[in-house]
Amino acid sequence: FLYYSSRIKKIFRSQEGVLTKRPYASGGARYPLEIYASNNRIPNIQKGIHYYDPLRHRLILLNKNKNYQKKFNTFLLDVQHPLMDREPDIVFIITAVFARTMWKYDKLGMSLILSDLGCLYQTMYLLATEMKLAPCPIGKTDEELVKKWLKLNWYEESHVGTFMLGIPKSN
């Protein structure tokens, strides 16, 4: 799923430095978005928070502490819709590295970052539909919990979106 929606397809040099091409559109090819996968139910992938490395197409385990599952269950209560009958298989936490876009676009930068998020969501939705998976973006999350999990400098990189993905329930 991440390979077809988010990987780095090409690296190229421009007058402004090194830029990349990915499967979704990005204002000025800045690609400020980073993806962290919070695995809950996918077999053969350790439960915990993983960083998605889009260049090497791999997951890097960041957080496997024993309190993770308890905190993840709290996180799921926040993101879970009342009509859901089980936890999502995986939750993608999407952050933005602001400097990638803001240095060039200044006041327009945040608008472009959110447009990039919409492009990524659209690509994820289309791909999930093609793969017969159940996608759903999330509007509400526990920001403090995400901040603690990812251990990021919130002024440089912070949470901008959350996206659930799972296998649809059989009827």
Side-chain angles (χ1 to χ4, degrees), residues 2 6 33-37 50-52 92-94 120 124:
L2 289 172
S6 313
L33 304 179
E34 295 290 346
I35 299 174
Y36 297 85
H50 301 261
Y51 167 72
Y52 175 63
F92 297 112
I93 299 166
I94 303 162
L120 176 60
M124 289 176 144

Side-chain angles (χ1 to χ4, degrees), residues 63-162:
N63 186 336
K64 61 178 180 179
N65 105 22
K66 293 178 182 179
N67 294 326
Y68 166 78
Q69 193 59 45
K70 182 179 178 183
K71 290 178 182 177
F72 186 73
N73 291 340
T74 302
F75 178 73
L76 288 175
L77 291 175
D78 266 357
V79 301
Q80 214 168 334
H81 189 278
L83 297 177
M84 291 176 64
D85 63 351
R86 65 178 174 87
E87 297 113 2
D89 295 323
I90 194 161
V91 177
F92 297 112
I93 299 166
I94 303 162
T95 64
V97 179
F98 300 110
R100 291 183 197 161
T101 301
M102 302 300 271
W103 75 268
K104 179 171 177 139
Y105 294 103
D106 196 24
K107 294 176 184 167
L108 249 148
M110 195 59 198
S111 173
L112 285 174
I113 288 169
L114 294 176
S115 294
D116 288 358
L117 179 64
C119 291
L120 176 60
Y121 276 176
Q122 173 184 299
T123 302
M124 289 176 144
Y125 255 113
L126 292 169
L127 183 58
T129 301
E130 178 65 24
M131 296 174 76
K132 297 182 179 18
L133 297 172
C136 182
I138 314 284
K140 176 189 170 205
T141 56
D142 183 339
E143 292 297 323
E144 283 303 311
L145 187 55
V146 171
K147 186 176 178 179
K148 286 177 190 172
W149 274 350
L150 302 182
K151 298 177 183 149
L152 301 172
N153 178 335
W154 223 233
Y155 296 106
E156 294 175 8
E157 179 181 356
S158 66
H159 176 250
V160 292
T162 310

Side-chain angles (χ1 to χ4, degrees), residues 30-47:
R30 300 288 127 199
Y31 293 100
L33 304 179
E34 295 290 346
I35 299 174
Y36 297 85
S38 181
N39 181 38
N40 186 40
R41 299 167 49 107
I42 298 184
N44 302 323
I45 299 176
Q46 185 173 358
K47 285 189 178 191

